[in-house]
Amino acid sequence: NSKRSWKNCYLKRIPLPPPDHLNFVCRAISHLQRAITPGLTAEAKSQRYTERIIQRRDAAMELSTVLSRAQRGIEAPLVRVETHISNGLPAFNIVGLPATAVKESKERVRSAIMNSHFEWPDRRLTINLAPADLPKDGGRFDLPIALGILAASGQIPEQSLAGREFIGELALGGGLRPVAGTVSAAIAASRTNHMLILPEANSANAALVPESRIVPVTRLLELTALLHQRLEIPFQAQGDTGERSPYPD
Protein backbone atom coordinates (compact mmCIF):
# COMPACT_ATOMS: atom_id res chain seq x y z
CA ASN A 1 0.00 0.00 0.00
CA SER A 2 2.81 2.38 0.83
CA LYS A 3 4.43 1.77 -2.56
CA ARG A 4 1.16 2.42 -4.36
CA SER A 5 0.66 5.65 -2.45
CA TRP A 6 4.13 6.83 -3.41
CA LYS A 7 3.45 5.98 -7.05
CA ASN A 8 0.26 8.04 -6.90
CA CYS A 9 2.18 10.93 -5.35
CA TYR A 10 4.73 10.77 -8.14
CA LEU A 11 2.08 10.61 -10.88
CA LYS A 12 0.03 13.44 -9.37
CA ARG A 13 3.21 15.51 -8.79
CA ILE A 14 2.53 15.95 -5.09
CA PRO A 15 5.47 17.68 -3.29
CA LEU A 16 8.10 15.22 -2.12
CA PRO A 17 8.93 14.71 1.58
CA PRO A 18 12.05 16.06 3.31
CA PRO A 19 15.54 14.88 2.21
CA ASP A 20 15.75 12.18 4.89
CA HIS A 21 13.02 10.27 3.06
CA LEU A 22 14.56 10.61 -0.43
CA ASN A 23 16.01 7.11 -0.31
CA PHE A 24 12.54 5.65 0.00
CA VAL A 25 11.33 7.97 -2.76
CA CYS A 26 14.08 6.79 -5.11
CA ARG A 27 13.15 3.18 -4.46
CA ALA A 28 9.52 3.96 -5.17
CA ILE A 29 10.44 5.68 -8.45
CA SER A 30 12.57 2.71 -9.51
CA HIS A 31 9.62 0.39 -8.82
CA LEU A 32 7.45 2.66 -10.93
CA GLN A 33 9.93 2.62 -13.80
CA ARG A 34 10.10 -1.16 -13.72
CA ALA A 35 6.32 -1.30 -13.75
CA ILE A 36 6.12 0.94 -16.83
CA THR A 37 9.16 -0.40 -18.75
CA PRO A 38 8.71 -3.87 -20.23
CA GLY A 39 10.93 -6.43 -18.54
CA LEU A 40 14.12 -7.73 -20.18
CA THR A 41 15.23 -11.29 -20.22
CA ALA A 42 18.44 -12.33 -18.51
CA GLU A 43 20.12 -12.76 -21.89
CA ALA A 44 19.11 -9.27 -23.02
CA LYS A 45 20.38 -7.76 -19.76
CA SER A 46 23.70 -9.57 -20.16
CA GLN A 47 24.04 -8.37 -23.74
CA ARG A 48 23.28 -4.77 -22.76
CA TYR A 49 25.81 -4.93 -19.94
CA THR A 50 28.48 -6.30 -22.30
CA GLU A 51 27.81 -3.54 -24.83
CA ARG A 52 28.20 -0.88 -22.14
CA ILE A 53 31.48 -2.39 -20.97
CA ILE A 54 32.82 -2.42 -24.55
CA GLN A 55 31.77 1.21 -25.11
CA ARG A 56 33.47 2.33 -21.90
CA ARG A 57 36.61 0.37 -22.78
CA ASP A 58 36.79 1.88 -26.27
CA ALA A 59 36.21 5.38 -24.89
CA ALA A 60 38.78 4.99 -22.13
CA MET A 61 41.49 3.04 -24.01
CA GLU A 62 42.60 4.71 -27.22
CA LEU A 63 46.17 3.82 -28.15
CA SER A 64 48.46 4.33 -31.12
CA THR A 65 52.13 3.75 -31.91
CA VAL A 66 54.23 5.73 -34.41
CA LEU A 67 57.84 4.93 -35.32
CA SER A 68 60.52 7.60 -35.37
CA ARG A 69 64.31 7.99 -35.03
CA ALA A 70 66.42 9.73 -32.41
CA GLN A 71 69.89 11.14 -32.98
CA ARG A 72 72.86 9.77 -31.00
CA GLY A 73 76.11 10.68 -32.70
CA ILE A 74 76.15 9.02 -36.12
CA GLU A 75 73.51 6.51 -35.05
CA ALA A 76 69.74 6.83 -35.29
CA PRO A 77 68.13 4.48 -32.74
CA LEU A 78 64.47 3.57 -33.19
CA VAL A 79 61.95 5.39 -31.00
CA ARG A 80 58.36 4.29 -30.52
CA VAL A 81 56.01 7.21 -29.92
CA GLU A 82 53.11 5.74 -27.95
CA THR A 83 49.97 7.84 -27.49
CA HIS A 84 47.21 7.15 -25.00
CA ILE A 85 43.99 9.18 -24.85
CA SER A 86 41.95 8.56 -21.71
CA ASN A 87 39.05 10.09 -19.85
CA GLY A 88 39.73 12.75 -17.24
CA LEU A 89 40.63 16.41 -17.00
CA PRO A 90 42.33 17.78 -20.14
CA ALA A 91 46.10 17.34 -19.86
CA PHE A 92 49.08 16.79 -22.15
CA ASN A 93 52.07 14.91 -20.72
CA ILE A 94 55.24 13.71 -22.48
CA VAL A 95 57.35 11.06 -20.74
CA GLY A 96 60.41 9.06 -21.76
CA LEU A 97 63.39 11.31 -20.94
CA PRO A 98 62.41 14.28 -23.19
CA ALA A 99 64.63 17.35 -23.38
CA THR A 100 63.30 20.90 -23.16
CA ALA A 101 62.80 21.17 -26.93
CA VAL A 102 60.69 18.01 -26.87
CA LYS A 103 58.59 19.25 -23.95
CA GLU A 104 57.94 22.49 -25.84
CA SER A 105 56.47 20.48 -28.73
CA LYS A 106 53.13 20.47 -26.87
CA GLU A 107 52.19 23.93 -28.13
CA ARG A 108 53.61 23.37 -31.62
CA VAL A 109 51.69 20.13 -32.04
CA ARG A 110 48.46 21.59 -30.69
CA SER A 111 48.56 24.61 -32.99
CA ALA A 112 49.60 22.54 -36.02
CA ILE A 113 46.73 20.09 -35.55
CA MET A 114 44.12 22.80 -35.09
CA ASN A 115 45.43 24.92 -37.99
CA SER A 116 45.34 21.82 -40.22
CA HIS A 117 41.55 21.64 -39.65
CA PHE A 118 41.63 18.64 -37.30
CA GLU A 119 39.95 18.35 -33.91
CA TRP A 120 42.03 18.58 -30.77
CA PRO A 121 40.89 15.95 -28.21
CA ASP A 122 40.06 17.76 -24.98
CA ARG A 123 40.95 14.73 -22.85
CA ARG A 124 43.96 13.38 -21.02
CA LEU A 125 46.87 12.81 -23.44
CA THR A 126 49.94 10.81 -22.49
CA ILE A 127 52.89 10.53 -24.89
CA ASN A 128 55.55 7.93 -24.14
CA LEU A 129 58.85 8.04 -26.03
CA ALA A 130 60.26 4.53 -25.76
CA PRO A 131 62.83 3.39 -24.82
CA ALA A 132 62.64 5.50 -21.67
CA ASP A 133 66.40 5.45 -20.97
CA LEU A 134 67.32 7.03 -24.34
CA PRO A 135 67.60 10.85 -24.28
CA LYS A 136 65.38 12.61 -26.83
CA ASP A 137 66.27 16.05 -28.08
CA GLY A 138 65.20 18.48 -30.81
CA GLY A 139 61.95 19.05 -32.66
CA ARG A 140 62.19 15.86 -34.75
CA PHE A 141 59.42 14.22 -32.70
CA ASP A 142 56.78 16.87 -33.46
CA LEU A 143 55.47 15.02 -36.51
CA PRO A 144 55.19 11.54 -34.94
CA ILE A 145 53.54 12.99 -31.83
CA ALA A 146 50.93 14.78 -33.96
CA LEU A 147 50.26 11.64 -36.01
CA GLY A 148 49.94 9.58 -32.84
CA ILE A 149 47.29 11.93 -31.49
CA LEU A 150 45.38 11.89 -34.78
CA ALA A 151 45.53 8.08 -34.94
CA ALA A 152 44.49 7.59 -31.31
CA SER A 153 41.55 9.96 -31.77
CA GLY A 154 40.43 8.13 -34.92
CA GLN A 155 41.09 10.97 -37.38
CA ILE A 156 43.58 8.98 -39.48
CA PRO A 157 43.74 5.18 -39.98
CA GLU A 158 46.29 3.62 -37.65
CA GLN A 159 47.08 0.81 -40.10
CA SER A 160 48.46 3.42 -42.53
CA LEU A 161 51.34 4.06 -40.09
CA ALA A 162 52.68 0.50 -40.25
CA GLY A 163 56.09 0.09 -41.88
CA ARG A 164 56.72 3.84 -41.94
CA GLU A 165 58.92 6.14 -39.89
CA PHE A 166 58.35 9.86 -39.38
CA ILE A 167 60.62 12.72 -38.37
CA GLY A 168 60.11 16.45 -38.68
CA GLU A 169 59.53 19.66 -36.78
CA LEU A 170 56.11 21.29 -37.04
CA ALA A 171 55.39 24.96 -37.53
CA LEU A 172 52.37 26.50 -35.84
CA GLY A 173 50.56 26.65 -39.18
CA GLY A 174 51.08 22.95 -39.88
CA GLY A 175 54.15 23.22 -42.12
CA LEU A 176 57.22 20.99 -41.75
CA ARG A 177 60.67 22.36 -40.97
CA PRO A 178 63.99 20.54 -41.56
CA VAL A 179 65.80 18.69 -38.79
CA ALA A 180 69.33 17.36 -38.34
CA GLY A 181 70.51 13.78 -38.73
CA THR A 182 68.31 12.70 -41.63
CA VAL A 183 71.03 10.70 -43.41
CA SER A 184 71.64 8.46 -40.40
CA ALA A 185 67.87 8.06 -40.03
CA ALA A 186 67.57 7.10 -43.70
CA ILE A 187 70.34 4.51 -43.34
CA ALA A 188 68.68 2.95 -40.30
CA ALA A 189 65.25 2.95 -41.96
CA SER A 190 66.60 1.30 -45.13
CA ARG A 191 68.12 -1.51 -43.06
CA THR A 192 64.68 -2.33 -41.64
CA ASN A 193 62.98 -1.84 -45.05
CA HIS A 194 60.87 0.98 -43.66
CA MET A 195 59.65 4.02 -45.56
CA LEU A 196 60.93 7.33 -44.15
CA ILE A 197 58.66 10.38 -44.26
CA LEU A 198 60.46 13.66 -43.57
CA PRO A 199 60.39 17.38 -44.48
CA GLU A 200 60.98 18.20 -48.12
CA ALA A 201 64.01 20.32 -47.24
CA ASN A 202 65.74 17.17 -45.91
CA SER A 203 64.80 14.89 -48.81
CA ALA A 204 67.80 15.65 -51.04
CA ASN A 205 70.36 14.57 -48.45
CA ALA A 206 68.37 11.52 -47.32
CA ALA A 207 67.84 10.34 -50.91
CA LEU A 208 71.61 9.82 -51.30
CA VAL A 209 71.34 6.68 -49.14
CA PRO A 210 71.25 3.53 -51.32
CA GLU A 211 68.03 1.49 -51.27
CA SER A 212 66.25 4.13 -49.22
CA ARG A 213 62.56 4.95 -49.63
CA ILE A 214 62.14 8.64 -48.93
CA VAL A 215 58.83 10.49 -49.02
CA PRO A 216 59.14 14.30 -48.80
CA VAL A 217 56.20 16.30 -47.45
CA THR A 218 55.69 19.99 -46.84
CA ARG A 219 52.63 20.14 -44.55
CA LEU A 220 50.82 17.99 -42.01
CA LEU A 221 47.60 18.20 -44.02
CA GLU A 222 49.39 16.88 -47.12
CA LEU A 223 50.76 13.92 -45.15
CA THR A 224 47.33 13.01 -43.76
CA ALA A 225 45.96 13.02 -47.32
CA LEU A 226 48.70 10.55 -48.28
CA LEU A 227 47.82 8.34 -45.31
CA HIS A 228 44.16 8.42 -46.35
CA GLN A 229 45.32 7.38 -49.87
CA ARG A 230 43.85 10.50 -51.41
CA LEU A 231 47.19 11.45 -52.97
CA GLU A 232 49.92 9.39 -54.60
CA ILE A 233 53.09 8.89 -52.59
CA PRO A 234 55.85 11.12 -54.08
CA PHE A 235 58.99 8.99 -53.65
CA GLN A 236 62.28 10.91 -53.75
CA ALA A 237 64.63 9.47 -56.38
CA GLN A 238 68.10 8.48 -55.26
CA GLY A 239 70.72 11.05 -56.16
CA ASP A 240 68.18 13.83 -56.73
CA THR A 241 70.00 17.16 -56.45
CA GLY A 242 67.12 19.25 -55.23
CA GLU A 243 67.12 21.77 -52.43
CA ARG A 244 69.41 20.62 -49.64
CA SER A 245 68.87 20.94 -45.93
CA PRO A 246 70.82 23.68 -44.13
CA TYR A 247 71.91 21.09 -41.56
CA PRO A 248 75.13 19.13 -42.19
CA ASP A 249 74.78 15.34 -42.05
Side-chain angles (χ1 to χ4, degrees):
N1 295 331
S2 61
K3 293 181 179 179
R4 293 179 181 177
S5 61
W6 279 107
K7 292 178 183 178
N8 295 333
C9 291
Y10 178 75
L11 293 176
K12 295 179 181 179
R13 297 185 180 180
I14 298 177
L16 294 177
D20 54 344
H21 298 290
L22 287 180
N23 188 19
F24 180 77
V25 173
C26 292
R27 286 200 305 249
I29 293 175
S30 65
H31 283 291
L32 176 61
Q33 291 176 345
R34 283 198 294 268
I36 296 176
T37 306
L40 298 176
T41 63
E43 183 179 356
K45 290 181 180 179
S46 177
Q47 183 178 0
R48 177 181 292 183
Y49 178 77
T50 305
E51 291 176 353
R52 290 178 179 176
I53 293 297
I54 294 176
Q55 290 176 359
R56 292 177 182 176
R57 182 195 63 185
D58 294 340
M61 297 287 292
E62 297 179 358
L63 296 167
S64 68
T65 301
V66 183
L67 301 181
S68 184
R69 293 281 173 179
Q71 184 180 12
R72 186 175 59 185
I74 61 174
E75 299 179 350
L78 182 67
V79 174
R80 297 181 181 273
V81 181
E82 302 170 344
T83 304
H84 179 210
I85 301 180
S86 60
N87 295 328
L89 295 176
F92 191 1
N93 300 315
I94 300 178
V95 298
L97 209 59
T100 303
V102 180
K103 294 179 180 179
E104 292 176 348
S105 66
K106 299 177 182 179
E107 301 304 325
R108 294 194 298 268
V109 170
R110 185 197 303 268
S111 298
I113 288 179
M114 297 180 66
N115 289 326
S116 298
H117 310 289
F118 290 102
E119 294 183 2
W120 178 261
D122 289 328
R123 298 166 64 188
R124 185 177 183 85
L125 303 178
T126 303
I127 310 295
N128 180 37
L129 306 178
D133 57 349
L134 177 67
K136 288 86 176 178
D137 195 5
R140 61 195 305 113
F141 299 106
D142 290 2
L143 181 58
I145 289 175
L147 294 176
I149 294 174
L150 294 177
S153 58
Q155 301 185 68
I156 61 173
E158 186 177 1
Q159 61 271 16
S160 64
L161 305 176
R164 297 172 179 176
E165 301 177 6
F166 305 86
I167 57 174
E169 179 182 339
L170 284 173
L172 298 183
L176 286 177
R177 290 174 175 159
V179 295
T182 55
V183 171
S184 57
I187 294 174
S190 63
R191 291 174 179 172
T192 57
N193 199 25
H194 284 172
M195 185 186 305
L196 180 62
I197 290 88
L198 41 67
E200 187 177 16
N202 291 122
S203 60
N205 290 337
L208 298 177
V209 177
E211 300 181 359
S212 62
R213 296 190 297 164
I214 306 300
V215 178
V217 291
T218 57
R219 302 188 62 83
L220 176 62
L221 188 60
E222 175 189 357
L223 176 55
T224 55
L226 293 174
L227 297 178
H228 278 285
Q229 297 182 353
R230 297 176 182 173
L231 294 176
E232 295 183 359
I233 299 179
F235 286 102
Q236 182 80 21
Q238 182 178 350
D240 190 349
T241 57
E243 181 183 357
R244 295 189 176 273
S245 167
Y247 294 104
D249 282 296

